Amino acid sequence: MTTTEPAPLIIPAAQSGNCVKCRRAPGRPRSPQTPGDSLIQSNELVVCDRCWFAAGGEDAVLAELGQHGELVLTLDGGAEFEALLAESAEYDRRHPIDRCLIEAGIRWETLRQIAVPARCDLVRWVLERVPPAHTRVAVVPGDWLDAVTERIRQQTGTEFKYNAKRRRWWRIANELCCCSEDPSRRQRRPLTWKSQEKLAELVGCSTRTVRRCVAWLQREGLLHEVLPGCQMPRQTVPDDETAAEQARREASMAAAVAAENAAIARAMAELDAVRDGLFGDAAAAAAEAALSPADLAALDAVDELDPGLVQLVPVYELRVPLSDAELAEEAAIIRAHTKLAATPGEAVATHHKAELVASVNAPIYRELFAIGHDGQLTRLAGPDAAEALTCGNVAGLLRPDENGHPPQVIKIDQVKSSYVQNVDNRPASPGSDKKRSKPSRNGPDSLAGGLTAPSEGDHPRSIQSEAVRAADWLLRSRLHPDLCIEVSRRWLTNVIRASGLLASWNTTFGAAQADVLGVEWNHQVPAAWNEIADLIHGVPDYPHLPRFIRNAPGWIKARFARADPHTPPSKAKIIRRIESTSPTLQERRQTTMEATRQADIAARRAAIEGCPLCDEYGFFAVDPTDPNAPLARCNHDPETSGW
């Protein structure tokens, strides 16, 4: 009997959705026709399209009876197919998220220790960072160092007024260049990674000097931060765990259990010492003396059992500015693409060019909206969308918003031009050809000035207010995408105008404060706009935005309600940094906390001494007639009898 739908058998590849041959996602369940009884249990073959068609499809499926009486389906494509799989690199078998992070400069030995949710955050950080405009990747690190040297020579006398600073800046750039000379990098991408402390040690300067140099390189477009330096949670079981690592992990778990049991034994011994009449350090010393040598050794080794966090150093990409010929060529290519955008789909893709998802990043997403050449949007899975974009079947890919809705698509008429206006064919009013505008006597359009007044219907174009331009800039290029959901330019303009912060913060932040904070400063953007952007992003109350923002307008309203007109976010951040790093303020806080604690202790002791219901420790027996009755903590209230 022939069955077309064999009974599924749960296998590891099917659980993870990976192909059973190449171990890569996405794998699709296959149900080929296999000979045998339909009552015999059979596994569901999970194979990706590449391995399925390369092996020969249904003709390459082999069926054999397993040890437990089930029908086992395997895919056998012959010697050439098996040799091709054997020669595939280990990197090619990684998950798309892992491959993206490996290409971003994280070595697999470090990446395998990071928890999977943290890897998703790292990929989001990598994809959201856009390299500087009008720059390209430095093919040879030596060319990048030459570009840095030329930029230092150009700014000698302005940015570099002293030879010591010029030499120190060049030495830091040289260390970054030497660090990028790594033969293990893939696709000849010039990435450099080295901690700021290590750079400061090699150059012989402070870490603040390194931060200033890196900020200058980023402002000049010579350095692009692919991944920031951060700390990530470590997962208990790393990927590709070896037998030795498993043995060490099991030994650490056994030591942790022993340390916990020893801590419980020490606590019980200390309680016994308290019952015997010992208190404080005497009870703790008695508990330590009562422990066995094994328990003491387990407690001593508890500090070494903490897995800690995975430290990641910042990863930078070396970039060089485009030459005049390359700039002209880029402009010509942009104009050619603009003229060749004949189909509605290409026009929509051009309108959303800043939001398009690249084909190399598409497999990471669960689903995307594909822009067809007819201008229609179709929801596709990430790998399918990448394949459609590679084959040229779609004009671009867009990410859905938080609620799964497609982005706003422009309505473009491919026949009419946007400059064509409707013609009024109604009959003219009598005498309209004889009407002339009366010039004003003292205005700029008076006859004395040789100018005529504007004709009827020719009104001067209104100039946009600063609040409108600030809202447009924030929504277009500054705010996080999660903060732009259901936020219109008109609504944000009204919120900014009602707050009155543009006039209060317009002269409170500049290049000096940006240098102190170690951030990039844009001289072409007004100061108040950057302050409002930092305020909306949560500076300095929140170091990072929440993972999910359910109500973006509510978040923005709450942030504006907490704004201080006299203290912008930049000043508040500097104040908090001073408060957290000043030894005098730290000592003052510790003194205040200790005084508060002592006052609390004195108040509780006075309440215990003045209470006739409890003993000297603040407890009273639930049943005074029973000597073994449990104890309860007294609240020193005679009306409730201590309860």
Side-chain angles (χ1 to χ4, degrees), residues 496-633:
I496 295 174
R497 186 180 290 115
S499 65
L501 298 178
L502 288 176
S504 302
W505 291 352
N506 200 21
T507 58
T508 56
F509 188 84
Q513 287 81 355
D515 193 10
V516 172
L517 295 176
V519 298
E520 182 177 355
W521 172 247
N522 190 354
H523 297 272
Q524 299 178 356
V525 178
W529 297 11
N530 286 286
E531 297 287 359
I532 292 177
D534 291 342
L535 172 68
I536 297 176
H537 284 113
V539 176
D541 300 329
Y542 302 95
H544 303 287
L545 283 175
R547 185 180 297 272
F548 299 105
I549 299 178
R550 300 297 182 184
N551 185 9
W555 171 277
I556 295 176
K557 283 185 177 180
R559 293 302 306 165
F560 272 93
R562 298 187 61 179
D564 186 1
H566 305 288
T567 307
S570 60
K571 287 187 177 180
K573 189 173 182 180
I574 296 174
I575 292 172
R576 292 198 178 189
R577 180 176 299 178
I578 294 174
E579 290 179 350
S580 61
T581 57
S582 174
T584 304
L585 296 178
Q586 291 179 0
E587 184 178 357
R588 185 180 302 172
R589 285 195 298 269
Q590 292 178 0
T591 304
T592 305
M593 292 173 58
E594 182 64 22
T596 305
R597 189 178 70 87
Q598 294 295 337
D600 188 16
I601 292 174
R604 284 185 293 169
R605 176 54 58 189
I608 291 174
E609 291 178 355
C611 180
L613 303 175
C614 59
D615 57 4
E616 59 179 349
Y617 302 110
F619 292 91
F620 67 93
V622 177
D623 187 4
T625 60
D626 186 5
N628 297 326
L631 300 179
R633 185 177 293 276

Side-chain angles (χ1 to χ4, degrees), residues 365-410:
Y365 297 93
R366 180 177 299 176
E367 59 182 7
L368 294 168
F369 281 103
I371 306 175
H373 291 286
D374 56 351
Q376 300 295 327
L377 298 182
T378 305
R379 189 190 296 267
L380 295 177
D384 297 339
E387 184 178 357
L389 182 61
T390 305
C391 298
N393 297 331
V394 296
L397 302 177
L398 291 175
R399 293 179 296 179
D401 59 8
E402 183 180 2
N403 300 320
H405 299 296
Q408 295 293 333
V409 181
I410 58 174

